[in-house]
Amino acid sequence: MGKGQQTRQAILGQALVLSSECGLSGLSIGLLAEKSGMSKSGLFSHFGSKEELQLAVIREAQDRFAEVVVRPALKERRGLARLRAMVRNGIVWTQKINLPGGCPLMSAALEFDDQPGAVRDAVESSQRDWRRTLVNAVRIAMDVGELAADTDPEQVAFEIVGISLATQQGQRLLRDADAEQRAMRAFERLVRDYLAVPS
Amino acid sequence: MGKGQQTRQAILGQALVLSSECGLSGLSIGLLAEKSGMSKSGLFSHFGSKEELQLAVIREAQDRFAEVVVRPALKERRGLARLRAMVRNGIVWTQKINLPGGCPLMSAALEFDDQPGAVRDAVESSQRDWRRTLVNAVRIAMDVGELAADTDPEQVAFEIVGISLATQQGQRLLRDADAEQRAMRAFERLVRDYLAVPS
DNA sequence: TAAACTATAGCACGATCGTTCGTTTTGTCA
DNA sequence: TGACAAAACGAACGATCGTGCTATAGTTTA
């Protein structure tokens, strides 16, 4: 990795931290340059525009999400165990990689849903990816006979996303120490409803 | 209502629209003045600071929420019917009062969870109010014997908040026409789990 | 080591931000 | 109608925003 790529990665690390606290639109180039210990223009030349920077931040967040949430879960047994690992990883992943302000993609989803453009498109597709991943995991759990055959995978994914959002709000806004526990309880109740009846 | 209060209300109406689209921190005084058809300084003198404006917007949103979501639900029969009305009203209320960008309090909850200050405090307390209202409604449903006696009201409120958040994301970011339907299905599944067993 | 290239810094730009101040218009009431 | 208060305006402030341009320092390659 050349010098350019190296500092670019360092910048993106800082950018993730900052955007987790201030949001993707609150992320300013001046402040990011200061935190990164370089000049505004020096930093700017790595991206060419603020929009390009935001897109890079989204890609970086997606990459780390895949690395920290999805990949470890794939090591779990196919079925409910894997789905459960995804949910749990999805709830704690920002703590694990030290993002002090929670998941930037979650905030961005609310920030940009009314701002047409490339950033919105990227945020949308990242959310679709995540829901699709969840749907696949649910389908596998159906295939292995752990979830009922008439389970609606999209519905399950929808509710899991809801649990994650409520958890983030509980943890960060309400400082509720029980939020994570509530989340897992909600998840267990959810899958219990769709458990396959043993024949 | 004097002239001052009158224009102040008009400004707050516009501010609600704008902040539903751009967020509470993206709400700028210059743009708001333009949309309201008055000068920046004229508008500014109604509030004295941007923070004061943001607080006023939050109060206004809370008032309308109570008026459009909570109050109509109180006309429903005590119990599940009332709780269901709250959930449904909470999902459609921004359409009903023509907020094109969804619920400003929901976005603000994600925006300000890491920004200490009066605004954060107000957002937090508005969320606590809403959860408390839900908890009360659940307790009533327990009292009238429609929900089981060992129901955890806070858990139910937590999950309802999750459903609402997932619905907003589905509707606005993913443009999913089925989001509202999914929400009600999730809610019905939720209460079915806690149904009191008829003795 | 010299040349070629890349990365960073410095400076300035126009725009917009929140905010202040003094003035002018508007509304209210004796 | 005239006096007084309330409301709105216009201009300007310093700060910061994103974005260019040009020069210099640093790194890589011949």
Side-chain angles (χ1 to χ4, degrees), chain A residues 80-171:
Chain A
L80 273 187
R82 182 178 294 179
L83 182 63
R84 182 177 294 110
M86 283 187 185
V87 172
R88 189 188 307 276
N89 293 346
I91 285 173
V92 299
W93 82 289
T94 55
Q95 301 157 238
K96 197 174 296 181
I97 69 171
N98 266 359
L99 288 189
C103 176
L105 294 171
M106 248 186 215
S107 325
L110 271 285
E111 268 184 85
F112 283 89
D113 58 1
D114 282 299
Q115 319 270 343
V119 175
R120 201 209 108 98
D121 295 346
V123 172
E124 179 183 349
S125 102
S126 86
Q127 264 302 316
R128 287 195 195 281
D129 270 9
W130 173 227
R131 292 210 185 191
R132 188 160 34 231
T133 304
L134 287 171
V135 164
N136 283 340
V138 171
R139 288 225 175 89
I140 291 176
M142 294 164 65
D143 287 347
V144 300
E146 289 182 340
L147 288 182
D150 64 344
T151 303
D152 179 353
E154 272 89 7
Q155 178 76 22
V156 175
F158 172 91
E159 301 198 29
I160 287 177
V161 168
I163 292 171
S164 308
L165 286 163
T167 308
Q168 160 123 346
Q169 196 187 89
Q171 285 179 326

Side-chain angles (χ1 to χ4, degrees), chain A:
Chain A
M1 186 163 63
K3 180 85 194 308
Q5 291 298 316
Q6 197 171 320
T7 51
R8 194 188 144 105
Q9 272 317 107
I11 292 171
L12 284 178
Q14 267 296 322
L16 268 183
V17 171
L18 222 56
S19 71
S20 88
E21 291 172 332
C22 314
L24 205 51
S25 49
L27 173 70
S28 93
I29 293 177
L31 185 60
L32 179 57
E34 190 181 328
K35 297 268 184 188
S36 305
M38 52 186 304
S39 69
K40 239 174 40 159
S41 56
L43 187 148
F44 186 83
S45 67
H46 278 273
F47 303 95
S49 76
K50 169 152 190 188
E51 192 178 51
E52 218 36 73
L53 167 64
Q54 291 172 321
L55 292 173
V57 170
I58 293 172
R59 277 191 294 266
E60 180 70 15
Q62 262 187 294
D63 288 351
R64 299 209 187 179
F65 186 87
E67 180 96 9
V68 179
V69 177
V70 180
R71 221 179 56 167
L74 294 181
K75 291 174 186 161
E76 296 283 336
R77 214 182 63 252
R78 290 163 50 91
L80 273 187
R82 182 178 294 179
L83 182 63
R84 182 177 294 110
M86 283 187 185
V87 172
R88 189 188 307 276
N89 293 346
I91 285 173
V92 299
W93 82 289
T94 55
Q95 301 157 238
K96 197 174 296 181
I97 69 171
N98 266 359
L99 288 189
C103 176
L105 294 171
M106 248 186 215
S107 325
L110 271 285
E111 268 184 85
F112 283 89
D113 58 1
D114 282 299
Q115 319 270 343
V119 175
R120 201 209 108 98
D121 295 346
V123 172
E124 179 183 349
S125 102
S126 86
Q127 264 302 316
R128 287 195 195 281
D129 270 9
W130 173 227
R131 292 210 185 191
R132 188 160 34 231
T133 304
L134 287 171
V135 164
N136 283 340
V138 171
R139 288 225 175 89
I140 291 176
M142 294 164 65
D143 287 347
V144 300
E146 289 182 340
L147 288 182
D150 64 344
T151 303
D152 179 353
E154 272 89 7
Q155 178 76 22
V156 175
F158 172 91
E159 301 198 29
I160 287 177
V161 168
I163 292 171
S164 308
L165 286 163
T167 308
Q168 160 123 346
Q169 196 187 89
Q171 285 179 326
R172 312 210 60 79
L173 183 68
L174 306 180
R175 308 190 200 282
D176 178 7
D178 300 338
E180 186 179 333
Q181 190 183 335
R182 290 206 181 285
M184 292 317 292
R185 205 182 307 169
F187 171 75
E188 296 303 339
R189 199 185 49 70
L190 171 61
V191 296
R192 188 164 5 99
D193 268 17
Y194 292 106
L195 276 189
V197 286
S199 55

Side-chain angles (χ1 to χ4, degrees), chain B residues 37 53 68 74 85 92 96 98-99 103 108 111-112 122 125-126 141 147-148 150 152 154 159 171-172 187 195:
Chain B
L53 167 65
V68 179
L74 293 181
V92 299
K96 197 174 294 181
N98 266 0
L99 288 189
C103 175
E111 268 184 84
F112 283 89
S125 101
S126 86
L147 288 182
D150 64 345
D152 179 353
E154 271 90 7
E159 300 198 31
Q171 286 179 325
R172 310 210 61 79
F187 171 76
L195 275 189

Side-chain angles (χ1 to χ4, degrees), chain B residues 138-151:
Chain B
V138 170
R139 288 226 174 87
I140 291 177
M142 293 163 66
D143 287 346
V144 301
E146 288 181 339
L147 288 182
D150 64 345
T151 303

